[in-house]
Amino acid sequence: MLRTHTCGELRIDNVGEEVVLTGWVQRLRDKGGMLWIDLRDRYGITQLTFEDGVTPAYLFEAARGLGREYVIRVVGKVIERYSKNDKIPTGDIEIHASKIEVLNAAKLPPFMIEDETDGGDDLRMKYRYLDLRRTPVRRNLELRHQMMRAVRAYLDEHYFIEVETPVLIKSTPEGARDFVVPSRMNPGEFYALPQSPQTFKQLLMVSGFDKYYQIVKCFRDEDLRADRQPEFTQIDCELSFVTQEDILNTFEGLIRHLFLKVKGVHIANLPRMTYADAMKYYGSDKPDTRFDMRFVELNPLVKNKGFKVFDDAELVVGINAKGAASYTRKQLDELTDFVKRPQIGATGLVYARVQEDGTVKSSVDKFYTPEDLQAWAKAFNAEPGDLILVLAGGRDKTRKALNELRLEMGERLGLRDKNVFSPLWVVDFPLLEWDEDSNRYHAMHHPFTSPKPEDLELIDDRPGDIRANAYDMVINGVEVGGGSIRIHDRRLQEQMFRLLGFSNDEAKAQFGFLMDAFEYGAPPHGGIAFGFDRLCSLFGGSDSIRDYIAFPKNNSGRDVMIDAPSPIANAQLDELHIKMKNLPA
C-alpha cells in the first residue's frame, strides 16, 4: 500500500508515530512562516503542517507549490495539534511532514470542492467525478450502500433468493413508454429495456422459487422531474403461497429494519388506510400523515344559501390550518394565487377566521349568518386562532387542488419535518380506471393484478367498482413501494385482458408465454417493488433522487458528463438496418 493510514483515521493516541498518507489537497493556507495543507481522501481530512526554519527549505517550497486537488503522498510524524478543531474527527492532531511526493498534478477545478460549493447544478453534473469528491455527495452514496446492505441482510434472513432477470426483453404496451434496442441479428426487430421484472418474477414463482428478490435497474422513457430518472433502481420481490396480509407484514418488517439499522429510528406498526379514505380525507393516494389537517366536506352546511359558487359545486371541502388566523390579507391573496395556478386549477379560495372571542369572520359573510359560520367552525373542530380554507368545484379536481393547498400549508406552518417519518399502507385501490381518450379501461397498477375475490361478481356489469388486491407503502407523502396479489389463473387473466381491450391475438402475442406457464401449475403469488432511489432520498432528507445516484441524468434525460445520448455512425445504423429520417433542427 502507498499509505499506512487514511486521512480520517489518526487520533491523539497516534501521536509520535511515523505515518504515510495519500490523498487530494483540499486547501492550502500560507501565513508566510507557517503553511498548512488539508489533505482529503474518502475517509476524512488530516492537517499537514510546515514551519519555516523547522521544515527543510526545499520541502517548504515544494509544499508551497502545491495546488488544489493535487494528488500527493506525505511522510511525517503525528503531533498534537496546538489549536484543535472539534469539527473533524482528526482535529486533535496534525502531521509534521518530512517528505512530499506529487503523485499527480491537477488543473484548477471548475468549482470549489467543499461542502458548500460555488458550482451550480449544470456545472457539477458536467464534472460529476469532481462533485463526487465532496463530502455531502459521498455521504449520500455511503447511505445508499448502507441501505443496500441492510436490504440484502433482511431478505436473506427471511429465505429470499436473489435472481437476476434479463435486461433485453419484449416490449409491452401497458405502463410507461419503453426504451427500445434494435437487434442486429434479427433485422427490423427490437428488444425493450425492462420497466420492471414483472413477468419474469411471476415465471420464477411458477418455477418454484417461492421467495425471490432483486435490487435491479429499471428503465422508463418518461418526462423527468425531481423524483424520476430514465433509469432507476427497485427492490423487486415476489412470494408464493401468501396472502396480502403476509406480504404487508413481511415488508413492513423490512422498512422497520431499515429505519432501525440505518437511521436508528424505531417505527411502530404501520397503519392501514383505504384508497377511498385517502382520497376523501387527503385528496391523494399518497397522503402525508406527519400532520393532521384532514379534509372536512361541507355540502350539507353551505348549499342553498345563495352563494352560487357553493350551490353549483359538486363538492365543497376545506381544511383547518391551526393557528393561522393571523394571516394577513397579502398572505391570503398569495394562497388564492397558489390554488389558481394552472397546474392546480382551483377557481378561487374562501376563508374563515376564528377570532379570539370565538366569533367567525369569513370572506363570504354576506351569504352566511353567524350561526352558519359557527356550524362551519364546529365541523372543523376549529378553535380561536384557527384559519379555515375552503375550495369548491368538481369532486376529483377539488380534492386534488385541496391536497396541494394542504401540503403548502403544512410547509408554511413547519409541519413537514424531514426528521419525522410517518409510514402507512394504502390498500383497496380500484382495479381499473377509465380513460376518456382511448375510451377503455386501463389497469390502475398492471394487467396481472388480482381483483378482490368478493368483487369478482361485478366484473360484467360494474367493472369500474372492482377493488384490486393491491397495496402501496407511503412515507411522508411519497409512494416508496407498491404491489399486489397476482392473477395466477389463466381464465381470469384472459378475462382481465378482455376488460383492458386486448383481443385474444394481442394478448397471445404480448403475454402468451405467461399464459402458457399458468397452465403448468402456477401457485398463488404476489409481490411488491420499492423505489430504492426514493427510499434513499427520503432517508437522507432530500427531495431529489438524483442526489443518491452516482452518475444521474439531467431533466432532459442527458448525461452531460459523457454527452449521452449522442448520434452514432452511419456504419452502425446500416448494420442495424435503421434509416434516419430528417430530424427537426
Side-chain angles (χ1 to χ4, degrees):
M1 295 287 287
L2 293 179
R3 62 189 177 193
T4 60
H5 297 79
T6 71
C7 294
E9 187 175 349
L10 297 170
R11 299 292 186 271
I12 197 72
D13 293 343
N14 299 106
V15 167
E17 294 180 17
E18 188 87 7
V19 298
V20 184
L21 301 182
T22 56
W24 288 262
V25 174
Q26 168 104 357
R27 187 183 302 114
L28 187 149
R29 300 186 300 284
D30 190 345
K31 297 295 185 182
M34 290 292 293
L35 183 70
W36 296 274
I37 290 174
D38 287 345
L39 188 66
R40 181 196 73 241
D41 65 10
R42 170 187 150 192
Y43 304 94
I45 290 175
T46 296
Q47 180 172 281
L48 315 177
T49 183
F50 305 83
E51 185 176 353
D52 195 12
V54 177
T55 304
Y58 75 90
L59 186 60
F60 195 92
E61 288 308 308
R64 181 169 274 159
L66 298 175
R68 279 179 176 264
E69 301 307 309
Y70 272 46
V71 186
I72 64 172
R73 182 173 184 262
V74 176
V75 180
K77 182 176 285 189
V78 182
I79 62 174
E80 186 171 0
R81 192 163 164 173
Y82 176 74
S83 179
K84 294 182 170 58
N85 181 355
D86 61 4
K87 293 182 173 60
I88 58 173
T90 61
D92 289 342
I93 59 94
E94 58 190 1
I95 306 300
H96 187 247
S98 58
K99 182 180 178 182
I100 294 177
E101 178 185 357
V102 176
L103 300 177
N104 215 332
K107 291 168 60 177
L108 186 69
F111 54 86
M112 300 286 285
I113 300 177
E114 305 272 3
D115 288 6
E116 298 295 329
T117 182
D118 58 350
D121 282 352
D122 292 342
L123 187 63
R124 289 187 291 109
M125 289 276 282
K126 183 175 180 180
Y127 296 94
R128 182 64 169 176
Y129 50 87
L130 296 180
D131 197 34
L132 286 168
R133 293 181 187 174
R134 296 195 308 116
T135 299
V137 184
R138 187 189 70 249
R139 283 179 180 158
N140 288 346
L141 294 188
E142 289 171 347
L143 172 67
R144 185 184 179 99
H145 168 69
Q146 280 183 279
M147 292 188 66
M148 201 168 278
R149 286 180 59 197
V151 167
R152 284 195 162 99
Y154 177 88
L155 294 174
D156 186 58
E157 287 173 6
H158 287 75
Y159 306 106
F160 283 79
I161 182 169
E162 185 169 7
V163 182
E164 289 184 298
T165 54
V167 174
L168 297 174
I169 65 167
K170 185 182 183 73
S171 183
T172 58
E174 293 291 316
R177 189 181 293 109
D178 286 326
F179 282 102
V180 294
V181 181
S183 171
R184 179 185 60 80
M185 293 183 289
N186 300 277
E189 296 186 321
F190 295 81
Y191 301 105
L193 301 181
Q195 297 185 30
S196 80
Q198 182 64 48
T199 52
F200 287 101
K201 65 183 181 181
Q202 291 192 254
L203 289 171
L204 284 168
M205 297 302 103
V206 177
S207 304
F209 290 85
D210 68 327
K211 286 187 173 184
Y212 141 92
Y213 87 96
Q214 189 179 184
I215 299 177
V216 60
K217 272 280 182 280
C218 301
F219 307 86
R220 292 179 189 169
D221 189 4
E222 297 179 298
D223 293 335
L224 303 184
R225 59 188 188 207
D227 61 346
R228 279 187 184 165
Q229 284 277 294
E231 51 183 315
F232 58 96
T233 305
Q234 282 187 348
I235 309 168
D236 194 57
C237 306
E238 197 81 3
L239 305 85
S240 293
F241 306 113
V242 289
T243 64
Q244 175 175 297
E245 193 67 21
D246 296 320
I247 292 176
L248 299 191
N249 289 335
T250 299
F251 292 100
E252 182 172 318
L254 171 62
I255 290 299
R256 295 173 70 191
H257 171 82
L258 287 176
F259 271 110
L260 190 60
K261 294 296 182 183
V262 178
K263 296 287 290 181
V265 173
H266 177 73
I267 298 290
N269 292 337
L270 274 61
R272 315 271 176 91
M273 184 183 298
T274 65
Y275 171 86
D277 281 350
M279 299 308 295
K280 180 176 181 179
Y281 295 118
Y282 297 95
S284 170
D285 60 2
K286 45 183 186 291
D288 186 345
T289 53
R290 280 174 292 181
F291 61 105
D292 191 17
M293 214 181 290
R294 298 207 320 174
F295 293 6
V296 174
E297 296 184 359
L298 294 173
N299 283 28
L301 297 179
V302 301
K303 293 277 192 178
N304 304 315
K305 302 285 185 176
F307 184 43
K308 185 174 174 56
V309 173
F310 285 178
D311 289 344
D312 293 348
E314 181 183 6
L315 177 67
V316 182
V317 62
I319 54 174
N320 178 10
K322 296 200 72 64
S326 60
Y327 264 38
T328 64
R329 183 58 193 237
K330 180 183 177 184
Q331 288 173 302
L332 290 168
D333 287 345
E334 287 174 356
L335 292 178
T336 302
D337 291 340
F338 173 81
V339 300
K340 290 169 76 172
R341 287 159 57 189
Q343 59 267 48
I344 296 177
T347 54
L349 174 67
V350 170
Y351 67 86
R353 310 175 196 265
V354 184
Q355 313 278 63
E356 289 304 318
D357 62 2
T359 59
V360 181
K361 180 71 176 171
S362 170
S363 55
V364 290
D365 276 349
K366 66 180 180 179
F367 297 102
Y368 296 94
T369 67
E371 291 75 22
D372 290 333
L373 297 176
Q374 285 296 330
W376 291 21
K378 184 177 180 181
F380 284 96
N381 291 320
E383 300 170 325
D386 291 350
L387 177 67
I388 296 168
L389 300 171
V390 180
L391 300 180
R395 184 189 62 181
D396 294 342
K397 185 177 179 180
T398 302
R399 283 176 173 169
K400 178 180 177 295
L402 190 59
N403 167 58
E404 296 295 337
L405 179 59
R406 176 182 179 270
L407 295 177
E408 175 70 12
M409 291 307 299
E411 199 70 52
R412 290 183 177 219
L413 297 174
L415 303 174
R416 303 183 73 189
D417 185 345
K418 290 181 179 178
N419 295 310
V420 173
F421 300 97
S422 181
L424 74 152
W425 289 107
V426 178
V427 297
D428 292 354
F429 284 82
L431 182 69
L432 307 166
E433 52 187 347
W434 183 257
D435 181 69
E436 295 290 347
D437 293 334
S438 58
N439 197 38
R440 68 178 180 90
Y441 283 110
H442 287 257
M444 193 165 212
H445 283 76
H446 54 66
F448 316 109
T449 300
S450 172
K452 288 274 188 181
E454 59 269 32
D455 289 356
L456 277 174
E457 62 187 30
L458 306 174
I459 203 161
D460 293 323
D461 301 324
R462 292 159 49 203
D465 292 338
I466 301 174
R467 294 169 300 158
N469 223 335
Y471 33 82
D472 281 356
M473 183 181 287
V474 176
I475 305 177
N476 295 0
V478 177
E479 178 200 331
V480 298
S484 67
I485 299 297
R486 320 301 187 194
I487 297 170
H488 67 281
D489 174 74
R490 176 169 185 146
R491 288 175 59 193
L492 181 57
Q493 187 66 71
E494 287 173 340
Q495 203 168 8
M496 173 63 79
F497 284 143
R498 284 196 295 274
L499 269 176
L500 296 172
F502 286 82
S503 69
N504 289 336
D505 289 343
E506 287 171 334
K508 185 172 180 59
Q510 295 294 335
F511 304 109
F513 62 94
L514 184 64
M515 305 291 281
D516 290 344
F518 283 176
E519 295 190 328
Y520 290 92
H525 60 281
I528 192 168
F530 289 93
F532 184 65
D533 311 292
R534 286 187 185 181
L535 275 174
C536 290
S537 66
L538 195 73
F539 274 55
S542 172
D543 292 325
S544 173
I545 67 172
R546 202 166 71 180
D547 298 337
Y548 296 83
I549 297 172
F551 298 101
K553 308 290 190 291
N554 68 12
N555 287 344
S556 300
R558 296 196 66 82
D559 185 329
V560 294
M561 183 182 69
I562 64 171
D563 191 25
S566 58
I568 62 173
N570 286 332
Q572 288 176 280
L573 291 172
D574 291 342
E575 275 191 325
L576 296 169
H577 305 277
I578 292 176
K579 190 170 185 178
M580 299 290 285
K581 295 175 68 174
N582 289 328
L583 298 175

